Amino acid sequence: DLVVRLERIGAIGADSETVVLGKASRHLEDVLLPAILSERGRYSIENFFSFSELVHQRLTRSLGRYFGAETSDDIGLVLREMLINAIEHGNLEITYDEKTVAMTEDRYLALIEQRRKAREYAARKINVRYRLSGEAVEYEIEDQGTGFDHQTQLARRPAATESHGRGIHIARNFFDRVEYNEKGNCVKLRKALASRRI
């Protein structure tokens, strides 16, 4: 038996075709899930979207101990957005406008590949720290880019029709705490267990 999951990941190109990511996996029940009291981990990944997908799956696999399936999926969605932001806008320093133009001209993936191979960006990594306990789940995602003006971005409200620029707002709506360092290249996310919220 396989579990098939389809996820809409946005529109790409001038004709705005919807892109759907399909994943099929064996459904293996984790018999140790009820035994998890706490967990922590650290990861350092290269600038590949496939790595961000694998890391976000690893970071959410034990959430069922403390959160329901819907909340776990929401956390996974936010992490995926934050990891992609760290790659695109952090390490590869692709601006919002550059991404918009590249998507309109149907050359977004080529832009990603070009930046990934460029000498000044090629060695950069995304560092991720994770902690799950009986009180909260916490994540720290840090890129090696020059940072960004997160205050301006936090104040901006993306239109519902925009296919990018919404990750930070999704995070703020879902996590209890979203904090950036002064430089803007590191975000900390925290979500308390429902029983621990005040």
Side-chain angles (χ1 to χ4, degrees):
D1 291 339
L2 294 176
V3 173
V4 177
R5 185 171 173 203
L6 301 176
E7 180 179 348
R8 181 181 180 275
I9 59 173
I12 296 180
D15 54 6
S16 297
E17 291 182 12
T18 298
V19 177
V20 176
L21 175 66
K23 294 182 265 185
S25 61
R26 290 186 178 177
H27 182 63
L28 299 175
E29 187 173 327
D30 187 349
V31 295
L32 290 178
L33 196 60
I36 295 172
L37 299 178
S38 67
E39 184 174 79
R40 65 178 58 220
R42 294 177 64 181
Y43 301 88
S44 181
I45 63 170
E46 296 178 14
N47 298 304
F48 291 95
F49 292 148
S50 58
F51 287 176
S52 69
E53 183 68 25
L54 294 171
V55 168
H56 116 262
Q57 289 174 10
R58 180 70 61 96
L59 295 174
T60 58
R61 71 180 177 184
S62 299
L63 294 180
R65 168 69 169 96
Y66 295 110
F67 298 101
E70 185 176 340
T71 300
S72 297
D73 287 347
D74 289 342
I75 290 173
L77 172 68
V78 173
L79 289 176
R80 186 176 175 281
E81 289 289 326
M82 294 294 100
L83 288 165
I84 288 172
N85 280 350
I87 291 171
E88 290 177 337
H89 305 304
N91 282 352
L92 302 181
E93 297 186 22
I94 296 171
T95 67
Y96 180 89
D97 291 336
E98 286 173 322
K99 182 176 178 179
T100 301
V101 170
M103 290 178 74
T104 302
E105 296 173 354
D106 201 21
R107 59 178 182 82
Y108 169 68
L109 296 178
L111 175 61
I112 293 288
E113 191 60 25
Q114 175 191 9
R115 290 287 175 96
R116 189 179 303 139
K117 291 178 178 178
R119 184 174 38 92
E120 61 268 37
Y121 309 120
R124 292 181 176 179
K125 306 275 191 209
I126 307 291
N127 295 305
V128 182
R129 292 167 197 83
Y130 153 74
R131 185 174 74 88
L132 173 67
S133 69
E135 293 187 5
V137 62
E138 298 172 302
Y139 301 97
E140 183 177 307
I141 300 169
E142 182 177 14
D143 62 64
Q144 295 177 328
T146 57
F148 77 112
D149 179 2
H150 52 91
Q151 296 296 345
T152 299
Q153 185 63 27
L154 288 169
R156 184 180 166 277
R157 294 287 175 208
T161 56
E162 289 183 77
S163 61
H164 63 285
R166 298 181 308 204
I168 293 171
H169 301 286
I170 293 170
R172 285 182 60 195
N173 289 332
F174 186 73
F175 279 88
D176 302 322
R177 190 167 68 215
V178 178
E179 295 176 351
Y180 282 87
N181 65 354
E182 186 175 338
K183 182 178 177 181
N185 72 326
C186 181
V187 62
K188 293 181 181 180
L189 308 166
R190 184 179 197 277
K191 185 165 187 69
L193 271 62
S195 60
R196 299 286 181 168
R197 292 194 189 122
I198 299 173

